[in-house]
């Protein structure tokens, strides 16, 4: 019955495509439950740098029908084929049982053994001389020590600082006499800091990491490592990349390329100089190791002005017919360049795109072999480094898991796709069936209508065309309002979660909710934060919730004084609650949230 209904749903898909999709789905449906995790599928989408709204019923599980619908919605045949290949290449995976609060019930998770080995070897080398990690390193790449090593949070904090120096002031990392609370503090510090450098942590919490859940640990480590590997693959930080400019190409276009695209172009730049065939990916095209031999021969130190010893790459391995042995010989040469990390011979011959990309990025960082003198008279005065404000907005968006990943604030937002995802994050309903997929037509007024009429943003003088043209002033104005709304929602969600945990019935829909005029939500929240503080015979309430103005003001005076009594620095006045002044109400709840979270921390210490 179910099979028949599904077949009628996919009549426009050929039988061959349907069979391919079924095979791909079965490959990632490890426990044969008929579902896969939406979180893990979205991770695959991000690897391919495109966004799909797949979980149509928001149950965090993807059925085969939803899986096929995703494929149908990919309007570009090329992207659809990329999707199928990406799903089909899930080799070398292990499955494990167990559920987290963020995972869908009845769905097993998986992780790549090759990735685990690669990350362990990278971490062992990177932190080998750090005394704070002596109790953890070296880890055994063939065991599961990586998953238990994150328990105290130290390793994660250190790796974050390795990727983005000074993100964490290491004086605040707990390293001595580690109680469960101190370890949890380290993990919260690591997660918030990972979010601050653009890692997606919305589906991970400290409990998951203390439990060492493999798919979450590996996913987080990959994001942290990738941030570090890609940090300098950007023109404002490495002007030598301008050498990659093609004939007739505008510098602005080169600057808009992602680190992955620049990395591929860097490889091909050197392959062209070697007079050999270029590549178009880090999977199929590198399996024979040919490109790597020629790349290393081009980038190896030649001696001379940079005072480095000359290293002559032995190219004889390229004649080895057995691809595994050839890859081994190639990696021997990579070791001479101190670039042996991330891949094994099998990772090369199997075309593991993630690990091969990391392998190449490490080579770029170690031996870029690009000369600034080759700028061909180009005017580079308008190349400006990212401002702190721009970096903050970009990392915030990426931490929310938008796709594609935002590398360049203005270029990557110009098609509106990321903006629409952010609108959805702040509870603005987006009809994804009406969203254009590439190639994009000119952006019209629909996005402005969503922002102005649905989200109620102030968008005077801001239109879709301004965003499409990459106007920094207009883009930053819109992003500030999105970020402000997001921050407000964090406070609102905290208030309601506190009230619901204690089964209070005064939850609010916004900081304009008329219930606030009674001050009962504030008084109930104070009772949650500081039990026993409220004298309920002093509180005015009735079954219908309709209080007269005098009773409302009486409650408001009591609520404000109670808040100050428990230690919250409240500046709002009783009249602000009665009149439901949203700005002042927000400050009231924000102060209570700050005090409540501080109280929770003090209770956890005792």
């Amino acid at each position: 019955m179910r099979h028949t209904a599904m077949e009628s749903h996919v009549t426009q898909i050929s039988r061959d495509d349907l069979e391919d999709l079924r095979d791909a789905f079965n490959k990632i449906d490890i426990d044969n439950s008929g579902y896969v995790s939406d979180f893990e599928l979205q991770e695959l989408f991000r690897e391919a740098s495109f966004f799909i709204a797949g979980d149509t019923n928001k149950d965090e599980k993807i059925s085969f029908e939803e899986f096929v619908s995703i494929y149908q919605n990919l309007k570009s045949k090329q992207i659809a084929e990329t999707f199928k290949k990406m799903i089909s290449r899930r080799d070398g995976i292990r499955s494990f049982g167990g559920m987290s609060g963020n995972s869908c019930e009845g769905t097993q998770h998986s992780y790549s053994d090759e990735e685990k080995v690669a990350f362990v070897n990278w971490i062992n080398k990177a932190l080998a001389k750090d005394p704070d990690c002596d109790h953890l390193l070296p880890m055994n790449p063939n065991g599961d020590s990586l998953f238990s090593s994150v328990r105290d949070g130290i390793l994660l904090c250190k790796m974050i600082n390795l990727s983005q120096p000074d993100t964490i002031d290491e004086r605040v990392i707990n390293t001595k006499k580690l109680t469960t609370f101190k370890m949890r503090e380290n993990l919260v510090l690591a997660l918030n800091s990972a979010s601050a450098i653009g890692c997606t942590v919305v589906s991970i919490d400290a409990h998951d990491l203390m439990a060492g859940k493999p798919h979450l640990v590996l996913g987080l480590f990959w994001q942290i490592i990738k941030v570090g590997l890609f940090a300098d693959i950007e023109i404002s930080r490495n002007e030598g990349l301008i050498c990659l400019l093609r004939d007739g190409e505008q510098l602005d276009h080169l600057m808009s390329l992602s680190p992955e695209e620049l990395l591929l172009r860097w490889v091909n730049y050197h392959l062209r100089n070697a007079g050999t065939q270029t590549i178009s990916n880090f999977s199929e095209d590198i399996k024979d190791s040919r490109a790597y031999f020629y790349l290393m021969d081009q980038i190896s130190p030649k001696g001379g002005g940079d005072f480095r010893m000359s290293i002559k790459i032995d190219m004889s391995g390229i004649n080895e017919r057995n691809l595994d042995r050839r890859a081994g010989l190639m990696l021997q040469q990579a070791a001479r360049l101190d670039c042996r990390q991330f891949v094994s011979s099998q990772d090369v011959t199997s075309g593991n795109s993630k690990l091969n990309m990391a392998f190449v990025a490490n080579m770029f960082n170690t031996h870029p072999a690009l000369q600034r003198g080759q700028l061909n008279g180009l005017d580079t005065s308008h190349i400006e480094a990212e401002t702190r404000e721009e970096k903050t907005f970009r990392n915030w968006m990426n931490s929310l898991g938008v796709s594609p990943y935002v590398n360049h604030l203005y270029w990557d937002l110009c098609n509106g796709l990321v903006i629409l995802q952010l609108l959805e994050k702040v509870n603005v309903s987006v009809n994804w069936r009406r969203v254009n997929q590439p190639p994009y037509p000119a952006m019209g007024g629909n996005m402005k209508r969503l922002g102005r009429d649905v989200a109620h943003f102030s968008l005077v003088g801001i239109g879709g065309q301004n965003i499409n043209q990459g106007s920094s002033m207009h883009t930053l104005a819109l992003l500030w309002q999105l970020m402000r709304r997001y921050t407000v929602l964090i406070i609102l969600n905290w208030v309601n979660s506190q009230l619901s945990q204690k089964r209070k019935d005064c939850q609010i829909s916004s900081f304009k909710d008329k219930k606030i005029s009674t001050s009962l939500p504030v008084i109930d929240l104070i009772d949650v934060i500081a039990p026993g503080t409220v004298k309920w015979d002093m509180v005015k309430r009735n079954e219908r919730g309709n209080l007269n103005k005098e009773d409302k003001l009486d409650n408001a005076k009591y609520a404000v004084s109670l808040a100050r009594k428990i230690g919250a620095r409240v500046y709002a006045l009783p009249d602000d609650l009665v009149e439901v002044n949203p700005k002042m109400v927000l400050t009231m709840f924000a102060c209570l949230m700050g005090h409540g979270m501080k109280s929770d921390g003090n209770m956890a210490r005792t």
Side-chain angles (χ1 to χ4, degrees):
M1 182 83 172
R2 175 182 169 186
H3 184 67
T4 304
M6 195 278 299
E7 281 190 340
S8 64
H9 177 65
V10 294
T11 52
Q12 64 268 47
I13 296 181
S14 71
R15 183 173 297 275
D16 288 343
D17 278 348
L18 189 57
E19 290 178 358
D20 288 345
L21 288 170
R22 173 61 76 179
D23 289 343
F25 185 83
N26 289 340
K27 196 164 190 176
I28 54 178
D29 178 19
I30 301 168
D31 58 349
N32 298 316
S33 64
Y35 296 95
V36 297
S37 163
D38 178 59
F39 170 71
E40 292 176 18
L41 199 58
Q42 290 291 349
E43 285 295 298
L44 286 176
F45 294 153
R46 277 190 282 275
E47 284 181 34
S49 296
F50 57 84
F51 168 79
I52 298 295
D55 185 17
T56 53
N57 57 7
K58 305 300 181 185
D59 63 354
E60 298 186 353
K61 297 186 293 186
I62 301 292
S63 66
F64 182 58
E65 288 86 345
E66 289 176 305
F67 188 75
V68 172
S69 179
I70 291 170
Y71 178 80
Q72 288 176 299
N73 289 334
L74 295 173
K75 298 178 182 180
S76 163
K77 183 174 179 60
Q78 183 179 3
I79 294 178
E81 290 303 314
T82 300
F83 170 71
K84 283 200 297 183
K85 289 179 181 178
M86 174 188 66
I87 296 295
S88 298
R89 271 205 306 265
R90 300 291 287 167
D91 296 320
I93 57 175
R94 291 190 181 187
S95 62
F96 60 96
M99 255 64 70
S100 73
N102 299 311
S103 62
C104 50
E105 185 179 354
T107 301
Q108 282 189 308
H109 298 281
S110 62
Y111 70 90
S112 164
D113 206 41
E114 292 84 0
E115 290 176 18
K116 180 199 70 175
V117 171
F119 298 165
V120 166
N121 289 333
W122 177 254
I123 295 168
N124 281 343
K125 181 178 180 182
L127 300 178
K129 297 180 181 180
D130 192 319
D132 292 332
C133 298
D134 283 346
H135 64 298
L136 299 169
L137 303 181
M139 295 178 286
N140 179 5
N142 297 316
D144 291 335
S145 55
L146 176 65
F147 307 126
S148 59
S149 71
V150 300
R151 177 176 169 78
D152 64 14
I154 294 175
L155 203 64
L156 281 169
C157 290
K158 295 289 184 175
M159 285 302 295
I160 288 168
N161 269 0
L162 184 71
S163 286
Q164 288 283 286
D166 298 325
T167 298
I168 298 173
D169 185 332
E170 296 197 359
R171 293 175 296 180
V172 306
I173 303 174
N174 301 316
T175 58
K176 308 294 183 184
K177 298 179 181 179
L178 292 174
T179 63
T180 299
F181 173 74
K182 286 187 175 181
M183 290 190 288
R184 185 179 180 277
E185 269 192 337
N186 282 347
L187 290 170
V188 171
L189 171 64
L191 284 170
N192 287 334
S193 300
S195 177
I197 65 173
C199 298
T200 304
V201 298
V202 289
S203 296
I204 310 173
D205 60 27
H207 297 294
D208 292 324
L209 296 176
M210 291 194 87
K213 295 183 177 177
H215 69 298
L216 297 178
V217 171
L218 282 179
L220 182 56
F221 267 126
W222 167 241
Q223 291 186 79
I224 294 169
I225 291 170
K226 187 178 179 182
V227 166
L229 288 173
F230 285 2
D232 288 331
I233 310 177
E234 201 266 316
I235 290 176
S236 68
R237 300 186 64 166
N238 190 336
E239 288 191 2
L241 287 166
I242 297 177
C243 298
L244 309 182
L245 198 65
R246 294 172 178 167
D247 290 342
E249 183 181 22
Q250 296 295 314
L251 182 57
D252 282 349
H253 180 263
L254 184 69
M255 293 175 64
S256 72
L257 298 182
S258 68
E260 294 92 335
E261 291 169 323
L262 284 172
L263 201 59
L264 188 63
R265 190 176 284 203
W266 173 73
V267 172
N268 287 332
Y269 168 82
H270 287 298
L271 293 182
R272 287 191 184 94
N273 287 343
T276 189
Q277 183 180 351
T278 58
I279 63 173
S280 58
N281 55 64
F282 293 117
S283 51
E284 294 293 327
D285 291 357
I286 52 81
K287 287 182 176 181
D288 62 2
S289 300
R290 176 197 58 82
Y292 287 154
F293 270 109
Y294 283 108
L295 174 62
M296 290 188 293
D297 187 49
Q298 289 291 307
I299 67 174
S300 60
K302 304 299 189 288
D306 57 3
F307 301 105
R308 289 191 294 178
M309 289 182 59
S310 175
I311 299 176
K312 177 65 176 176
I313 298 298
D314 183 355
M315 298 288 288
S316 62
I318 204 169
N319 298 316
E320 169 60 54
R321 292 187 177 182
N322 182 285
L323 293 185
D324 286 320
R325 286 199 292 268
R326 187 192 297 177
L329 293 170
M330 179 274 296
L331 290 174
Q332 289 178 18
Q333 300 306 306
R336 297 177 62 208
L337 297 177
D338 196 25
C339 296
R340 175 64 181 77
Q341 289 75 30
F342 290 111
V343 292
S344 65
S345 299
Q346 187 175 358
D347 295 328
V348 175
T349 56
S350 67
N352 186 314
S353 59
K354 178 186 292 186
L355 296 182
N356 277 280
M357 183 170 60
F359 175 60
V360 174
N362 185 46
M363 279 201 285
F364 172 88
N365 290 326
T366 310
H367 302 285
L370 297 172
Q371 302 299 321
R372 284 197 60 186
Q374 301 174 10
L375 302 184
N376 299 323
L378 283 171
D379 178 15
T380 60
S381 60
H382 69 290
I383 298 177
E384 297 179 356
E386 186 176 45
T387 67
R388 291 194 300 272
E389 182 183 17
E390 290 165 346
K391 186 175 184 178
T392 297
F393 282 132
R394 184 174 59 81
N395 286 336
W396 167 65
M397 289 183 281
N398 287 328
S399 73
L400 297 179
V402 298
S403 187
Y405 190 90
V406 179
N407 295 294
H408 308 290
L409 191 64
Y410 307 114
W411 285 303
D412 292 349
L413 267 58
C414 68
N415 60 30
L417 185 59
V418 169
I419 296 292
L420 291 170
Q421 293 173 61
L422 292 174
L423 284 167
E424 196 170 55
K425 299 287 185 185
V426 297
N427 293 347
V428 176
S429 179
V430 176
N431 183 354
W432 289 104
R433 294 184 181 277
R434 298 184 61 187
V435 174
N436 296 312
Q437 299 292 336
Y440 297 101
M443 186 179 299
N446 287 338
M447 190 177 70
K448 179 170 183 174
R449 184 190 58 78
L450 277 172
R452 182 192 60 208
D453 300 339
V454 182
H456 304 294
F457 291 157
S458 175
L459 299 180
V460 177
I462 304 177
Q465 187 177 6
N466 300 126
I467 308 300
N468 185 240
Q469 292 175 347
S471 166
S472 58
M473 179 180 70
H474 297 97
T475 301
L476 291 174
L478 175 58
L479 288 177
W480 162 240
Q481 295 187 69
L482 283 163
M483 194 178 203
R484 182 177 61 188
R485 172 68 64 84
Y486 178 77
T487 305
V488 167
L489 286 176
I490 288 177
I491 300 172
L492 180 65
N493 290 337
W494 180 86
V495 169
N496 285 330
S497 69
Q498 295 297 306
L499 293 173
S500 64
Q501 285 174 16
K502 298 299 181 181
R503 299 185 179 181
K504 301 287 188 179
D505 58 1
C506 280
Q507 295 188 34
I508 56 177
S509 59
S510 72
F511 295 119
K512 298 179 181 178
D513 195 317
K514 295 302 180 184
K515 290 181 187 175
I516 297 170
S517 67
T518 67
S519 296
L520 294 177
V522 178
I523 294 171
D524 277 344
L525 183 60
I526 292 171
D527 184 52
V528 172
I529 296 171
T533 302
V534 178
K535 296 178 181 179
W536 290 105
D537 59 335
M538 301 288 185
V539 179
K540 306 294 192 299
R541 68 166 73 220
N542 58 47
E543 292 182 359
R544 292 179 298 175
N546 297 325
L547 300 180
N548 59 44
K549 188 171 183 179
E550 183 179 348
D551 287 344
K552 288 180 178 180
L553 185 58
D554 199 37
N555 277 354
K557 291 177 180 178
Y558 188 52
V560 169
S561 294
L562 277 177
R564 291 170 178 161
K565 180 181 179 181
I566 66 172
R569 293 188 177 182
V570 171
Y571 298 97
L573 301 174
D575 287 330
D576 293 322
L577 293 178
V578 175
E579 297 169 5
V580 193
N581 182 328
K583 293 180 180 178
M584 294 299 103
V585 167
L586 171 61
T587 66
M588 177 91 174
F589 281 113
C591 290
L592 288 171
M593 178 179 175
H595 179 75
M597 296 182 76
K598 181 179 178 181
S599 299
D600 288 344
N602 289 335
M603 289 179 63
R605 289 178 187 272
T606 56

